[in-house]
Amino acid sequence: MVTTPAAPVDEPLLEYDYVLRVAFAVDENASGVTPRTVQDVLRKGFGDRVRGLNVITSSDLQAESMVFGLTVNAETVARTIDRGPPAEKKEQCRLFREFWKAKAELRRFRDGTIQEAVVWTCKDSLSLLREIATFVLQTHTHGGSLDKITFVGQDSAFLLKQQVFAAGNADALTDTFEKLQKTLRNLDGLPLAIHQVQPATLLAERALLSPADIVIQFEASARWPDDLRAIQVTKVAFLLKLDDLLQTTVPGLTTRVGRENELCDLMNASFLDVMYPNGAMYRLRIFHDREQTLLQRVLMNKTVAPHEREMAGNAWADYKRTFIKRPLHARSLSNLVTRYPAFLQTIRLVKTWFNAHLLGAHFADELIELFVAHVFVHPEPWQPPATALTGLLRVLWSLSMWDWHHDLGIIDFNQTMSKEEKADIRTRFDAWRKIDPKMNRLVLFVATNWDQEGTTWTDFKPSKVIAARMVSLARASCDAFRGQALAFRPETIFASPRTDYDFFIHVDRKFSGTADDDTKAAKFKNLQKPKPVDMELADYTPAVEYARELERLYGDSAIFLYSTGSCDSIAGIWKPHTARCRWKLKLPYSSIQMQGQGQGQVHEDPDALINKDAILNEMARLGADMVSRVEVNH
């Protein structure tokens, strides 16, 4: 992940933003159409929408088909009006109308200029490129009849569904946050004025009815208590006051105060959920900078009891992650969303890939977002991806080549890191490998210019098994699109192999978050009734909570893999230490005795074998009606 691997010459889906396949009908005049003439026509038609347009040769091409690789200009590719020469330049206007035929028209623009222009009806970049290519090839490829235009992989219904799903959330969450920010700053009746309100997550990527983390900070005051536990109680009082003021100030707003981290009273103990009628939901936490000093004081105090110092260490790590690193992470990603139109959709596709392969629960969202940021910030030897599909494939290619045993990831968002800083990060990585050679705690090391520790999103997870599986699945996905070549279908790399797991616990759809379980969709959209939103159930998926409980109870015996989105099945792999062994007391799992064997001989001492049937029955009983069936593979 340190550098993007050089692109093989036969991987156009990695090198180009779009791969365009043009087919002409077979007739006696088709020989008059050559790749060079088609390339010239397309280049003139696309104009500055395309940075590069190259002819691609392939062994599986039919004689009447041609393939072109397009590297697009993200700033201009979605432009719906092409301006031509001004009206007074007669010769240039004649040539413009000669090329664009009936599409050309004389228009007066808002700046007062009168120019030739071409107006396109499509709005998104893919449809617009298709519209342009169809028109210019039908108009200017004399000697051949256009049969079909295909953008390889981009016409997938799966991709279109993902794009539609993402489009409805971004504007709602971002616009509503501006309202919330303004409302909070204008509230009267708070003991202290609000100094800062900032997102701690990428708002545009969050789904509606899923709380987006927000950090608020009050102005400095000596009235704050100087005790960690008392600070948490004060935060609760502030949030209750905020809850009361918002309820009376904003009509239609739904709020609730919640508790968290109840097992450690040094960590942040409370939050305030705020939900607007449009489904935009935010989770507010209070940042108080004095906590940092008090936590560090506990950690440096040698007279503090070991368990207290351990609690303070965990609280310090949580404090940095929640109130310092997450806002910085969100700000860096927001800048990339502005710079790269395909960045946001690429994040959604990559997260969908991780969840499709049941890996989502083992990777922090921020870590997956850094995987995506890497191919945009450090795209060499290519240009930054201009389409989500290209971004996804490059992320998978990068992961498939990552030797995480010996290599670390560094993402320099601002391209300002010095060689000394990168060398220090490498030294820190080498130190971790010496401290933890078996990688029981830290497997992946990913640092950024604002987080040079490299462990914020990877401490304790993923494990070696999960990291190895990620690389293995990424390689399989790369083999899939390389094998399909110009017949590539994106949905094939989201199909997860099921034979690799020892067992599956299938979850009833009512509890998995995959289906509307109340009523079937009405025949006409205007007859559909909006379902009331219960804030208590927002961002709550029973199947995910069930899977986490299984991890807590049976994590010593099995590895559980599941999606954090729609969790319709939970996969399990028995850990190696549960294999047949000599029987002894206090085994950490249910077992049955077997006749002892070894070196081809029978021993009097019995062996122990994990009682898989009994454990699976316990798991099913714990899930009750949530579990539809248990499938055993091995």
Coordinates of all heavy atoms in Angstrom, one line a residue, residues 443-471:
V443 N -1.7 -5.6 13.5 CA -1.4 -6.3 12.2 C -1.1 -5.2 11.1 O -0.1 -5.3 10.4 CB -2.6 -7.2 11.8 CG1 -2.3 -7.8 10.4 CG2 -2.8 -8.3 12.9
L444 N -2.1 -4.3 10.9 CA -1.9 -3.3 9.8 C -1.5 -2.0 10.5 O -1.9 -1.6 11.6 CB -3.3 -3.1 9.1 CG -3.9 -4.3 8.5 CD1 -5.2 -3.9 7.8 CD2 -3.0 -5.0 7.5
F445 N -0.6 -1.3 9.8 CA -0.1 0.0 10.3 C -0.3 1.0 9.2 O 0.3 0.9 8.1 CB 1.4 -0.2 10.5 CG 2.0 1.0 11.2 CD1 2.2 1.0 12.6 CD2 2.4 2.1 10.5 CE1 2.8 2.1 13.2 CE2 3.0 3.2 11.1 CZ 3.2 3.2 12.5
V446 N -1.2 2.0 9.4 CA -1.6 3.0 8.4 C -1.5 4.3 9.1 O -2.2 4.7 10.0 CB -3.0 2.7 7.9 CG1 -3.3 3.8 6.8 CG2 -3.1 1.3 7.3
A447 N -0.6 5.2 8.6 CA -0.3 6.5 9.1 C -0.7 7.6 8.1 O -0.8 7.3 6.9 CB 1.1 6.7 9.5
T448 N -1.0 8.8 8.6 CA -1.2 9.9 7.7 C -0.4 11.1 8.2 O 0.3 11.0 9.2 CB -2.7 10.3 7.8 OG1 -3.0 10.8 9.1 CG2 -3.6 9.1 7.4
N449 N -0.4 12.2 7.4 CA 0.4 13.4 7.8 C -0.1 14.0 9.1 O 0.6 14.6 9.9 CB 0.3 14.4 6.7 CG -1.1 14.8 6.3 OD1 -1.8 13.9 5.8 ND2 -1.5 16.0 6.5
W450 N -1.4 13.7 9.5 CA -1.9 14.3 10.8 C -2.1 13.2 11.8 O -2.4 13.5 13.0 CB -3.3 15.0 10.6 CG -4.2 14.2 9.7 CD1 -4.5 14.4 8.4 CD2 -5.1 13.1 10.1 NE1 -5.4 13.5 8.0 CE2 -5.8 12.7 9.0 CE3 -5.3 12.5 11.4 CZ2 -6.7 11.7 9.1 CZ3 -6.2 11.4 11.4 CH2 -6.9 11.0 10.3
D451 N -1.8 12.0 11.5 CA -1.8 10.9 12.5 C -0.6 9.9 12.2 O -0.8 8.9 11.6 CB -3.2 10.1 12.3 CG -3.2 8.9 13.3 OD1 -2.5 8.9 14.3 OD2 -4.0 8.0 13.0
Q452 N 0.5 10.3 12.8 CA 1.7 9.5 12.5 C 1.9 8.4 13.4 O 2.9 7.6 13.3 CB 2.9 10.5 12.5 CG 2.8 11.6 11.5 CD 4.1 12.5 11.4 OE1 5.1 12.2 11.9 NE2 4.0 13.6 10.6
E453 N 1.0 8.2 14.3 CA 1.1 7.0 15.2 C 0.9 5.7 14.4 O 1.5 4.7 14.7 CB 0.1 7.1 16.3 CG 0.4 8.2 17.3 CD -0.6 8.2 18.5 OE1 -1.5 7.3 18.5 OE2 -0.6 9.1 19.3
G454 N -0.1 5.7 13.4 CA -0.3 4.6 12.6 C -1.2 3.5 13.1 O -1.4 2.5 12.5
T455 N -1.6 3.6 14.4 CA -2.4 2.6 15.1 C -3.8 3.0 15.4 O -4.5 2.2 16.0 CB -1.6 2.1 16.3 OG1 -1.6 3.2 17.3 CG2 -0.2 1.7 16.0
T456 N -4.2 4.2 15.1 CA -5.5 4.7 15.6 C -6.7 3.8 15.2 O -7.6 3.5 15.9 CB -5.7 6.1 15.1 OG1 -4.6 7.0 15.5 CG2 -7.0 6.7 15.6
W457 N -6.7 3.4 13.9 CA -7.8 2.6 13.4 C -7.5 1.1 13.3 O -8.3 0.4 12.7 CB -8.2 3.2 12.0 CG -8.1 4.7 11.9 CD1 -7.3 5.4 11.1 CD2 -9.0 5.6 12.6 NE1 -7.6 6.8 11.3 CE2 -8.6 6.9 12.2 CE3 -10.0 5.4 13.6 CZ2 -9.2 8.0 12.8 CZ3 -10.6 6.5 14.1 CH2 -10.2 7.8 13.7
T458 N -6.3 0.7 13.7 CA -6.0 -0.7 13.5 C -5.6 -1.4 14.8 O -5.1 -2.6 14.8 CB -4.8 -0.8 12.5 OG1 -3.7 -0.1 13.0 CG2 -5.2 -0.3 11.2
D459 N -5.7 -0.8 16.0 CA -5.3 -1.4 17.2 C -6.2 -2.5 17.6 O -7.4 -2.3 17.7 CB -5.3 -0.3 18.3 CG -4.4 -0.7 19.5 OD1 -3.7 -1.7 19.4 OD2 -4.5 0.0 20.5
F460 N -5.7 -3.7 17.7 CA -6.4 -4.9 18.0 C -7.3 -5.5 16.9 O -7.8 -6.6 17.0 CB -7.3 -4.7 19.3 CG -6.5 -4.6 20.5 CD1 -6.4 -3.4 21.2 CD2 -5.9 -5.7 21.1 CE1 -5.7 -3.2 22.3 CE2 -5.1 -5.6 22.3 CZ -5.0 -4.3 22.9
K461 N -7.6 -4.8 15.9 CA -8.3 -5.3 14.7 C -7.9 -4.6 13.5 O -7.6 -3.4 13.6 CB -9.8 -5.3 15.0 CG -10.5 -3.9 14.9 CD -12.0 -4.0 15.0 CE -12.6 -2.6 14.7 NZ -14.1 -2.7 14.8
P462 N -7.8 -5.3 12.4 CA -8.2 -6.7 12.2 C -7.1 -7.6 12.7 O -5.9 -7.2 12.9 CB -8.3 -6.8 10.6 CG -7.3 -5.8 10.1 CD -7.4 -4.6 11.1
S463 N -7.4 -8.9 12.8 CA -6.5 -9.9 13.2 C -5.7 -10.4 12.0 O -6.0 -10.0 10.8 CB -7.2 -11.1 13.8 OG -8.0 -11.7 12.9
K464 N -4.7 -11.2 12.2 CA -3.9 -11.7 11.1 C -4.7 -12.6 10.1 O -4.6 -12.4 8.9 CB -2.7 -12.6 11.6 CG -1.6 -11.9 12.3 CD -0.5 -12.8 12.7 CE -0.9 -13.8 13.7 NZ 0.3 -14.6 14.2
V465 N -5.6 -13.3 10.7 CA -6.5 -14.2 9.8 C -7.4 -13.3 8.9 O -7.5 -13.6 7.7 CB -7.4 -15.1 10.7 CG1 -8.4 -15.8 9.8 CG2 -6.5 -16.1 11.5
I466 N -7.9 -12.2 9.5 CA -8.8 -11.4 8.7 C -8.0 -10.6 7.7 O -8.5 -10.4 6.5 CB -9.6 -10.4 9.7 CG1 -10.5 -11.3 10.6 CG2 -10.5 -9.5 8.9 CD1 -11.5 -12.1 9.9
A467 N -6.9 -10.1 8.1 CA -6.0 -9.3 7.1 C -5.6 -10.2 6.0 O -5.6 -9.8 4.8 CB -4.8 -8.8 7.9
A468 N -5.2 -11.4 6.3 CA -4.9 -12.4 5.2 C -6.0 -12.6 4.3 O -5.9 -12.8 3.0 CB -4.3 -13.7 5.8
R469 N -7.2 -12.8 4.9 CA -8.4 -13.0 4.1 C -8.7 -11.8 3.2 O -9.2 -12.0 2.0 CB -9.6 -13.3 4.9 CG -10.9 -13.6 4.2 CD -11.7 -14.8 4.7 NE -12.8 -15.0 3.8 CZ -12.9 -15.9 2.8 NH1 -11.8 -16.5 2.5 NH2 -14.0 -16.1 2.1
M470 N -8.6 -10.6 3.7 CA -8.8 -9.4 2.9 C -7.9 -9.4 1.6 O -8.3 -9.2 0.5 CB -8.5 -8.2 3.7 CG -8.5 -6.9 2.9 SD -7.8 -5.5 3.8 CE -6.0 -5.9 3.8
V471 N -6.6 -9.7 1.8 CA -5.7 -9.8 0.7 C -6.0 -10.9 -0.3 O -6.0 -10.7 -1.5 CB -4.2 -9.9 1.2 CG1 -3.3 -10.2 0.0 CG2 -3.8 -8.7 2.0

